[in-house]
């Protein structure tokens, strides 16, 4: 799907607040509410817009720690890990990556004891490194229109 300037503006609005009305988005981008609705429908139908979700404050949901954990899988254990990781409730995001480690995960945990138990499950699959998140510097930044490097769109 071709993403024109107007669609990029609509996408920016949706990424900042997906609950705003089509009328509000229309006011911001300069088109009617039905035109916004039609453009959004087309972007959903094409798969460009994958969905909408609710963000939850992990610390208010009983999780005191957020961590980034990398895993360097033992020989022959990566495939087993890729299946097993889907069962871990602690894992928010899991990526297979290049480099010395094979996996990077974003996890939420109740406390240090929970972290220790989680790492104990991980070490059967490989060597882990844990990084405790202290604060968010940038979180869920909107995806912007690609441009020529060094030139702002």
């Amino acid at each position: 799907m071709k993403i024109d300037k107007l669609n990029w503006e609509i996408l920016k609005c949706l990424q900042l607040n997906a609950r705003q009305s089509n009328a509000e988005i229309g006011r911001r981008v300069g088109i009617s509410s039905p035109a916004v609705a039609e453009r959004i429908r087309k972007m959903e139908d094409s798969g460009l817009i994958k969905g909408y979700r609710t963000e939850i404050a992990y610390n208010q949901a009983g999780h005191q720690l957020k961590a980034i954990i990398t895993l360097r899988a033992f020989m022959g254990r990566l495939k087993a890990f890729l299946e097993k990781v889907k069962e871990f409730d602690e894992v928010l995001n899991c990526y297979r990556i290049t480099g010395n480690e094979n996996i990077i995960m974003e996890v939420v945990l109740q406390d240090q004891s929970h972290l220790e138990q989680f790492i104990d499950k991980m070490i059967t699959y490989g060597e882990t490194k844990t990084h405790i998140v202290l604060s968010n510097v940038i979180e869920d930044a909107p995806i912007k229109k690609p441009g020529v490097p060094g030139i702002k769109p």
Side-chain angles (χ1 to χ4, degrees):
M1 169 176 199
K2 184 179 185 298
I3 310 172
D4 64 15
K5 183 179 179 186
L6 204 49
N7 280 354
W8 275 113
E9 290 297 317
I10 292 169
L11 288 168
K12 180 181 175 184
C13 290
L14 288 172
Q15 289 179 92
L16 293 173
N17 179 4
R19 293 191 69 186
Q20 62 187 307
S21 69
N22 290 342
E24 176 62 27
I25 294 170
R27 281 190 288 280
R28 292 177 187 266
V29 302
I31 62 175
S32 70
S33 176
V36 169
E38 178 65 15
R39 283 174 172 265
I40 290 173
R41 185 194 59 75
K42 286 181 179 177
M43 289 188 281
E44 290 170 342
D45 289 349
S46 75
L48 177 62
I49 296 176
K50 294 173 32 176
Y52 304 89
R53 64 187 180 95
T54 300
E55 294 179 35
I56 297 172
Y58 69 92
N59 53 352
Q60 292 186 30
H63 303 283
Q64 297 307 308
L65 293 176
K66 183 185 259 189
I68 305 298
I69 299 176
T70 61
L71 177 90
R72 183 177 183 184
F74 295 139
M75 185 68 73
R77 297 293 289 155
L78 181 59
K79 188 172 182 179
F81 175 81
L82 293 173
E83 288 302 315
K84 187 68 174 172
V85 71
K86 297 171 187 172
E87 299 174 17
F88 297 135
D89 293 337
E90 297 89 347
V91 178
L92 300 178
N93 292 295
C94 179
Y95 305 99
R96 188 170 175 185
I97 59 171
T98 61
N100 289 332
E101 287 86 15
N102 306 96
I103 299 292
I104 189 166
M105 297 174 283
E106 179 182 6
V107 300
V108 290
L109 304 138
Q110 294 167 6
D111 53 29
Q112 288 88 343
S113 176
H114 187 186
L115 172 61
E116 182 178 14
Q117 293 166 16
F118 185 74
I119 290 171
D120 287 347
K121 288 189 254 183
M122 295 296 104
I123 61 174
T124 62
Y125 296 98
E127 179 185 324
T128 64
K129 291 182 186 173
T130 302
H131 310 272
I132 303 295
V133 174
L134 299 176
S135 64
N136 294 332
V137 177
I138 298 174
E139 184 176 50
D140 298 321
I143 295 173
K144 298 176 180 141
K145 179 179 179 180
V148 177
I151 299 174
K152 295 185 178 184

